[in-house]
Amino acid sequence: GENVEQHPSTLSVQEGDSAVIKCTYSDSASNYFPWYKQELGKGPQLIIDIRSNVGEKKDQRIAVTLNKTAKHFSLHITETQPEDSAVYFCAAFSSGGSYIPTFGRGTSLIVHP
Amino acid sequence: NAGVTQTPKFRILKIGQSMTLQCTQDMNHNYMYWYRQDPGMGLKLIYYSVGAGITDKGEVPNGYNVSRSTTEDFPLRLELAAPSQTSVYFCASSYSQEFYNEQFFGPGTRLTVL
């Protein structure tokens, strides 16, 4: 089955700095890669996603890049703000078989004012 | 739209007790999922459903059962609660698995088994 590794587990930055979170996956049949933000006491919420036919996608301060050859994808947050503090999860959906997602273990992002 | 709602928000069970976690969505989504989230871990899929009357096991189904009699509801049943089932449980739904994949999550149920 699919295996998703996410790093780092904790990331601490100063307000205004950039943050990068990386994930690697094992199943070459995976073709959809969402990123979720989870605030304390709430359920995860989709913030950006990318499909395997695209190398990069951007939405204001958030961007995701995908390298299919190396099987890794990354979340980039620029000009971080205190409200970006949360746990971020990556996931990979495989098109082979039952098409169910595998999640990374999460990254706790702390943005210091 | 209320989105995905879950009840209860918190519950403490004794070992061997049973309970049902409720999940309802009002977005007319075909696909529904149950996950558990343990500290420092990602989300683990317990069961999922691709439509009314159809359910399938995920990665960690042991100790749980589900049913899907309507499009809106997807309850998760714990028959004999064990301490290993202490976790936060999230229900999610999506329009489809492949063509529009965004999963919408409920607020979660925090379950403690003592």
Side-chain angles (χ1 to χ4, degrees):
Chain A
E2 174 68 277
N3 183 48
V4 176
E5 299 283 341
Q6 182 172 347
H7 298 280
S9 56
T10 305
L11 181 58
S12 183
V13 300
Q14 288 296 128
E15 183 177 0
D17 288 350
S18 294
V20 180
I21 303 170
K22 299 182 179 180
C23 286
T24 60
Y25 61 98
S26 60
D27 188 352
S28 57
S30 291
N31 63 357
Y32 174 64
F33 307 93
W35 284 91
Y36 289 87
K37 176 183 181 182
Q38 185 177 26
E39 297 177 338
L40 196 62
K42 296 184 178 180
Q45 184 173 13
L46 181 73
I47 55 172
I48 196 166
D49 56 10
I50 192 167
R51 298 183 187 277
S52 58
N53 58 347
V54 176
E56 184 175 359
K57 184 176 178 181
K58 191 173 182 180
D59 183 4
Q60 298 183 352
R61 296 186 297 109
I62 296 173
V64 56
T65 58
L66 172 65
N67 184 326
K68 285 181 59 180
T69 303
K71 294 183 195 165
H72 68 70
F73 56 111
S74 299
L75 176 70
H76 303 254
I77 305 174
T78 59
E79 300 173 23
T80 53
Q81 301 167 5
E83 51 265 38
D84 293 329
S85 296
V87 179
Y88 292 81
F89 291 96
C90 64
F93 281 67
S94 175
S95 61
S98 56
Y99 207 74
I100 60 177
T102 302
F103 282 79
R105 291 192 173 194
T107 296
S108 177
L109 174 64
I110 303 166
V111 181
H112 299 280
Chain B
N1 287 350
V4 179
T5 57
Q6 292 182 239
T7 57
K9 291 186 178 180
F10 305 94
R11 184 73 184 267
I12 298 174
L13 282 182
K14 293 182 179 179
I15 295 172
Q17 286 186 319
S18 62
M19 77 164 294
T20 299
L21 283 68
Q22 301 292 344
C23 175
T24 300
Q25 54 91 9
D26 62 0
M27 297 173 282
N28 201 31
H29 285 169
N30 293 322
Y31 295 81
M32 296 188 74
Y33 312 80
W34 272 107
Y35 296 91
R36 60 176 288 170
Q37 184 178 39
D38 299 316
M41 303 293 288
L43 295 158
K44 299 290 186 182
L45 185 66
I46 304 171
Y47 270 95
Y48 67 102
S49 169
V50 301
I54 305 170
T55 63
D56 209 345
K57 295 178 181 178
E59 185 180 357
V60 290
N62 291 345
Y64 307 94
N65 276 301
V66 294
S67 60
R68 185 93 181 273
S69 58
T70 66
T71 300
E72 296 78 19
D73 301 307
F74 190 41
L76 178 71
R77 179 82 176 163
L78 284 71
E79 290 294 347
L80 292 170
S84 61
Q85 293 177 305
T86 294
S87 189
V88 180
Y89 292 84
F90 289 100
C91 178
S93 71
S94 65
Y95 177 68
S96 77
Q97 282 183 309
E98 188 151 9
F99 300 108
Y100 186 68
N101 309 86
E102 179 177 359
Q103 294 195 349
F104 294 83
F105 285 83
T109 294
R110 184 175 294 274
L111 176 67
T112 302
V113 182
L114 300 173

